[in-house]
Amino acid sequence: MAKKTDGENPALMVEGWVPPKLEREFTVVGKPLNRIDALEKVTGKARYAGDIKFPDVLYAKILRSPHAHARIRAIDTREAEALAGVKAILTKNNTSGWLTHWYEIPQVAFPETVSYVGHEIAAVAAESIDIATKALELIKVDYEVLPSVFDAEEALKPGAPEVTVSDLASDSFLASRPPKLGNLWGGKPDSHIKGDVDRGFREADFIFEGKFKTPSQCHGTLQTRSCVAALEGDVLTVYESCQGVWSVRNDLSKSLGLPPEKIRVVVNYQGGGFGSKAGAQRSITFAAWMALRTRRPVKLELTRSEELVSHPRRPSTTIYIKTGVKKDGTLTAIQSKAIINIGSGGLYGPFNHDINQHPVLLYSCPNMHVQQIAVHTNLQLTGPARSPLNIAAVSAFEAHMDEIAEAIGIDPLEFRFKNYTAYSDSVRRTPFSAKNLDQAMRQVAQSIGWERRAKRAGMTTAQQQPQGPKRRGIGMAIYVFHGVGLPPFNANASVVLNRGGRPRLLAGVVDIGSGAATALSMIAAEELGVSLQDIEVVYGDTNQTSYSPATHASRVIPEMGPAVLQAAAMARERLFDKVAGYLKVDAAALQSANGWIYEKCDRDGDAKARRISFGDACMLLPDGESIVGTGRRAPNVGTAPYNLFVRQADVTHATFGATAVEVEVDVETGKVRVLKSATAHEFGRALNPKLCNSQHYGGLVFGIGFGLLEEPIVDKKTGMTLNTDLHQYRMPTSLDMPEEAIPLNIEGDDAYFAYSSKGGGEGINSAVPAAIRNAIYNAIGVPLNEYPMTPERIMEAIKSDKKKKEEAARQLSLA
């Protein structure tokens, strides 16, 4: 390969050889190109897991617990086994000691004690869905119903029923975590202390307190969990709907006791995940086990109702905040306690500081004591959801900050700038590798028309408020998110060149609809100097590819981006070595772009540059010889939000953003319309502005759902979810979207990442609910501290506020 030049990028987080920077303008990166899989999707040619067909397939169904907490005395499957067409039944009777794995967390496959409504009791494989369903009806289960608890604060009280957790061990992110104490996850809160909060409160001119509640949230993917597991020779092939083929292969290997190389996981196309499908779901493991036992393909596809009662959804929270502030708006102390309902188990470890990090990374305050308390209850599993607990943090803290600003008479935007922090650790003065939140704040304010905002909450003017019952308001919120990769940073890619002339990118990621395959192909195309259409990409398959992270946690671009860049650059440099002899130039003098490899011009631009097309250059390779470039991501140099409090470094990696919205509130019905939105996210570089804009729109939908509509309704006596379809569990439609949605892609150098590009799949939605809440507050002058802000809750708040004002007026008149 050509020697390194002064244009190299030593900060790029890759293992081994560091590629030189491209000393030319980009020809692919930064262009709004169409997705490479768009045609297949819109024409119906795309084949999802549910479309995979085998002639001798069996169909699987799962029996679930009707009780929130119960010991299974006995299971009788004799009638079900005798039913014609039933080929396999799994229960605790014939799977003793079997552990399934999800995110590498071991769980008893069919436990003696179930801990939530929907917990798996048995699985059946039969010749048809009807037979499998009938078999479930014939299984007799004798339950001993046990006391249960559904409210997290109640579960912490002495004498509360102790939840039988679903997980046998702490998750792999926190392998040394101590066991739970009572219903308290990990036996203690997760806390971060900075300075002296008592002193900070003494120094404050004002002290404000607030209590905020955020709901659980279902993912609502278009495609429910589905798979087809089949033995193909001596290899178990699983056609899946997951978000990570390699993570699922690892989980299945541990669950089934098979060598990893004897399992192939394939996701050709995927109908949405939002964090819910990153590991091997238990239902998939059951299907795979029955395929091995019967030696026939087994298909399992959950109904919408099954999906909503069984998948690990977002935890609900209750967050208490106490803040001290001076008259000029300077923060002196922040104290918070977040109580998180994590249900009977799931994946919580990576998020055990998601709420704590919000004030620490966004606000300059010398004294803080923030803590998260995760609590087990007899509700269903919880786990990753788009911006898992960040959305709860923003919904609480940003609402609280607006109330403070309103109370002391400072513009909320000005208040945030006044308390802006440039450091992740103000004591050590640890900088961020990039932080352009100030740009994001200014741009959303300008785009929304912040100058039109009423200066006082609930203030009406002829210019700002229409006559009648409808009131308009403008609000904003800010956020921090990781989007910079996660341990173990095992991200690998390869680029192969041969005489055919078409570069082949091998990346073992799943494209869940975000356009990951397109974006990674653009990186490869840019480095090689060809067009996007020239790249053939293999993805979503453990065959041919190397280990890659699952497509969740906004990690694909920040992790796979450097690996793909390194692989493509290595292949290019090796091709340059071949071309150099043919053109009779030094390989270091070569460059490629727009399908050509050419000699760089001298500084005066007068050189007679020699060139060859990329395809002809590949023809220089002997028959049967290929050039292979490999790339591997190195661990993060600095800290990130998820490990900010457990290690120190000289730099912190993170992404930031801001949202502003304008709403219209009908004070007679409580109905809210989002009229306009502006969302800004710090991508570092927008690899493909069209794909980035899609993340803005998707985040807006998710945020509107969380803020105004979505909430699983749980029976307080039984723990049963009552709204288990998309008619009763209300998600946003096109009618709920704003008339104008402005996406703003904030760009800035961050040399640690490929072309500075970082993740953007989750952060955007996290500030939308709080921005809506603050706009409603600005419109009607009434604070709303419980999400979703349904018409019923808005009307209750208006009535309550009216009564308080009437009582205050009465007391004043008596005085």
Side-chain angles (χ1 to χ4, degrees):
M1 293 185 293
K3 295 180 180 180
K4 295 181 181 179
T5 68
D6 292 337
E8 70 182 24
N9 181 10
L12 185 68
M13 293 186 289
V14 292
E15 297 281 6
W17 177 72
V18 180
K21 288 184 179 180
L22 291 176
E23 297 174 347
R24 60 169 174 77
E25 292 185 359
F26 291 141
T27 59
V28 179
V29 165
K31 310 299 182 187
L33 304 178
N34 290 332
R35 300 167 186 259
I36 60 175
D37 58 356
L39 186 62
E40 289 83 356
K41 288 182 175 179
V42 299
T43 58
K45 292 181 179 179
R47 296 180 73 218
Y48 295 82
D51 298 322
I52 304 298
K53 300 185 186 303
F54 287 91
D56 57 343
V57 68
L58 298 175
Y59 297 88
K61 295 294 287 185
I62 294 174
L63 180 66
R64 301 182 183 279
S65 169
H67 303 293
H69 200 192
R71 186 175 68 85
I72 300 174
R73 292 195 185 101
I75 299 178
D76 186 346
T77 61
R78 288 174 294 181
E79 287 188 44
E81 290 169 354
L83 183 65
V86 172
K87 299 300 179 182
I89 298 179
L90 301 178
T91 70
K92 73 182 187 69
N93 295 345
N94 59 0
T95 61
S96 178
W98 182 31
L99 301 181
T100 63
H101 292 76
W102 175 65
Y103 279 102
E104 302 187 14
I105 305 170
Q107 300 172 324
V108 176
F110 296 101
E112 296 284 340
T113 301
V114 293
S115 53
Y116 61 95
V117 175
H119 207 150
E120 297 91 342
I121 303 294
V124 174
E127 297 285 357
S128 71
I129 294 176
D130 289 341
I131 295 173
T133 303
K134 180 63 177 177
L136 296 185
E137 297 171 359
L138 296 175
I139 296 175
K140 295 181 174 62
V141 185
D142 180 16
Y143 296 99
E144 176 191 349
V145 178
L146 302 174
S148 54
V149 61
F150 310 117
D151 180 87
E153 294 188 84
E154 290 295 320
L156 288 174
K157 293 180 179 178
E162 185 165 349
V163 178
T164 306
V165 299
S166 300
D167 310 329
L168 288 183
S170 177
D171 55 74
S172 58
F173 286 84
L174 293 170
S176 61
R177 185 75 185 186
K180 76 184 184 79
L181 178 64
N183 293 320
L184 178 61
W185 182 88
K188 64 177 183 178
D190 289 290
S191 302
H192 176 70
I193 299 174
K194 169 184 171 185
D196 183 341
V197 291
D198 291 333
R199 182 183 65 203
F201 286 127
R202 289 194 300 270
E203 294 173 351
D205 295 316
F206 306 103
I207 295 176
F208 297 91
E209 296 188 60
K211 175 184 177 182
F212 303 86
K213 300 185 75 173
T214 68
S216 176
Q217 187 182 26
C218 300
H219 299 78
T221 57
L222 281 174
Q223 179 190 29
T224 62
R225 279 156 184 73
S226 60
C227 80
V228 179
L231 272 172
E232 298 180 337
D234 63 346
V235 173
L236 174 69
T237 300
V238 182
Y239 299 91
E240 248 274 49
S241 60
C242 66
Q243 292 178 238
V245 291
W246 284 93
S247 57
V248 166
R249 192 182 86 155
N250 285 354
D251 281 341
L252 287 175
S253 175
K254 290 185 175 184
S255 298
L256 303 174
L258 292 177
E261 62 272 14
K262 294 297 182 181
I263 301 173
R264 178 189 181 194
V265 181
V266 182
V267 181
N268 293 319
Y269 295 90
Q270 204 252 24
F274 310 117
S276 70
K277 300 176 182 176
Q281 308 297 316
R282 290 158 62 83
S283 56
I284 308 307
T285 309
F286 299 155
W289 180 280
M290 291 188 288
L292 291 172
R293 175 172 289 191
T294 63
R295 306 194 70 81
R296 289 177 60 179
V298 174
K299 180 176 183 177
L300 190 151
E301 194 162 14
L302 299 189
T303 65
R304 180 64 62 185
S305 178
E306 290 172 323
E307 178 92 353
L308 292 181
V309 302
S310 67
H311 81 287
R313 59 196 183 192
R314 188 192 306 278
S316 61
T317 74
T318 301
I319 303 176
Y320 298 88
I321 308 175
K322 180 181 178 181
T323 300
V325 63
K326 289 186 174 295
K327 292 178 182 178
D328 67 354
T330 301
L331 293 171
T332 62
I334 296 176
Q335 187 176 60
S336 67
K337 180 174 68 174
I339 299 174
I340 304 159
N341 191 330
I342 62 171
S344 64
L347 187 68
Y348 172 71
F351 320 123
N352 69 321
H353 280 294
D354 270 12
I355 296 176
N356 291 344
Q357 75 194 18
H358 183 89
V360 173
L361 294 179
L362 290 179
Y363 290 99
S364 178
C365 180
N367 307 293
M368 294 189 190
H369 183 184
V370 292
Q371 61 177 330
Q372 291 183 210
I373 302 172
V375 186
H376 287 289
T377 66
N378 290 113
L379 295 179
Q380 73 191 68
L381 303 175
T382 58
R386 194 172 190 172
S387 189
L389 285 171
N390 303 76
I391 196 169
V394 181
S395 296
F397 278 100
E398 290 303 291
H400 185 63
M401 294 302 175
D402 255 46
E403 287 188 49
I404 294 173
E406 168 69 19
I408 63 178
I410 297 180
D411 179 88
L413 178 61
E414 179 186 339
F415 180 78
R416 288 173 171 86
F417 273 119
K418 184 172 187 62
N419 292 286
Y420 188 93
T421 180
Y423 303 102
S424 63
D425 185 332
S426 58
V427 177
R428 298 181 67 243
R429 297 180 72 82
T430 306
F432 295 96
S433 58
K435 183 177 182 181
N436 295 293
L437 176 58
D438 52 345
Q439 292 184 38
M441 291 162 64
R442 290 189 179 94
Q443 289 196 31
V444 297
Q446 180 180 2
S447 298
I448 205 70
W450 191 258
E451 70 283 354
R452 299 183 296 112
R453 180 184 178 275
K455 302 303 178 186
R456 288 178 51 238
M459 183 180 73
T460 61
T461 68
Q463 185 180 34
Q464 292 173 326
Q465 303 287 9
Q467 298 298 313
K470 296 181 179 179
R471 305 285 184 268
R472 292 192 177 189
I474 293 174
M476 72 168 299
I478 59 176
Y479 64 87
V480 58
F481 194 74
H482 43 88
V484 292
L486 287 177
F489 302 104
N490 190 0
N492 302 271
S494 300
V495 171
V496 181
L497 306 178
N498 54 41
R499 285 177 60 86
R502 189 177 189 193
R504 198 169 197 229
L505 169 63
L506 308 176
V509 299
V510 174
D511 193 324
I512 65 174
S514 60
T518 302
L520 295 178
S521 296
M522 291 176 68
I523 293 175
E526 189 67 73
E527 284 296 311
L528 292 171
V530 299
S531 70
L532 174 61
Q533 291 74 23
D534 290 328
I535 301 293
E536 177 191 357
V537 58
V538 176
Y539 62 99
D541 192 338
T542 54
N543 271 14
Q544 301 184 64
T545 66
S546 300
Y547 189 93
S548 301
T551 307
H552 68 111
S554 302
R555 65 192 298 188
V556 167
I557 296 304
E559 283 191 56
M560 288 296 291
V564 171
L565 188 154
Q566 183 186 34
M570 185 181 294
R572 179 197 66 223
E573 296 296 297
R574 288 174 174 170
L575 184 61
F576 281 4
D577 288 341
K578 299 285 186 182
V579 170
Y582 177 79
L583 293 181
K584 296 181 173 54
V585 298
D586 192 314
L590 292 175
Q591 199 169 55
S592 59
N594 298 314
W596 290 91
I597 298 173
Y598 53 89
E599 183 184 11
K600 299 174 188 175
C601 292
D602 65 19
R603 292 182 181 179
D604 297 325
D606 294 330
K608 300 289 186 181
R610 282 165 281 190
R611 62 173 53 198
I612 184 174
S613 73
F614 194 92
D616 287 344
C618 290
M619 289 294 291
L620 298 176
L621 297 173
D623 284 333
E625 181 179 323
S626 296
I627 288 175
V628 179
T630 58
R632 181 179 176 84
R633 171 69 143 80
N636 278 1
V637 172
T639 57
Y642 53 79
N643 65 4
L644 181 71
F645 306 131
V646 296
R647 63 173 287 233
Q648 291 185 343
D650 294 330
V651 69
T652 295
H653 310 294
T655 62
F656 300 87
T659 295
V661 301
E662 181 177 4
V663 303
E664 182 179 81
V665 186
D666 190 322
V667 296
E668 291 183 349
T669 66
K671 175 68 176 176
V672 176
R673 288 178 58 220
V674 180
L675 303 176
K676 184 179 180 181
S677 69
T679 52
H681 181 76
E682 182 183 24
F683 283 97
R685 182 183 295 276
L687 285 175
N688 184 326
K690 184 179 288 189
L691 296 179
C692 293
N693 290 351
S694 292
Q695 294 302 324
H696 285 278
Y697 302 139
L700 189 59
V701 173
F702 235 86
I704 289 173
F706 185 90
L708 297 176
L709 300 168
E710 296 180 49
E711 184 175 21
I713 305 301
V714 176
D715 187 291
K716 294 180 180 180
K717 293 182 179 180
T718 65
M720 183 177 294
T721 301
L722 303 177
N723 51 339
T724 59
D725 58 55
L726 296 186
H727 176 65
Q728 300 295 332
Y729 182 84
R730 174 79 197 286
M731 293 170 58
T733 70
S734 58
L735 299 178
D736 298 299
M737 295 299 287
E739 298 169 3
E740 183 179 8
I742 303 171
L744 301 164
N745 299 321
I746 307 300
E747 296 189 309
D749 290 338
D750 197 334
Y752 295 93
F753 302 93
Y755 311 132
S756 300
S757 297
K758 294 175 285 190
E762 296 176 84
I764 294 166
N765 66 303
S766 62
V768 173
I772 294 173
R773 181 267 182 201
N774 291 339
I776 295 172
Y777 179 42
N778 179 240
I780 65 177
V782 179
L784 295 160
N785 293 349
E786 183 172 2
Y787 300 80
M789 298 168 289
T790 60
E792 294 79 9
R793 285 183 176 141
I794 291 173
M795 293 308 299
E796 287 174 8
I798 290 173
K799 290 175 183 177
S800 176
D801 182 71
K802 183 179 179 181
K803 286 182 180 179
K804 288 180 182 178
K805 289 177 179 176
E806 289 174 348
E807 178 60 21
R810 188 181 72 82
Q811 293 293 336
L812 185 63
S813 66
L814 292 176

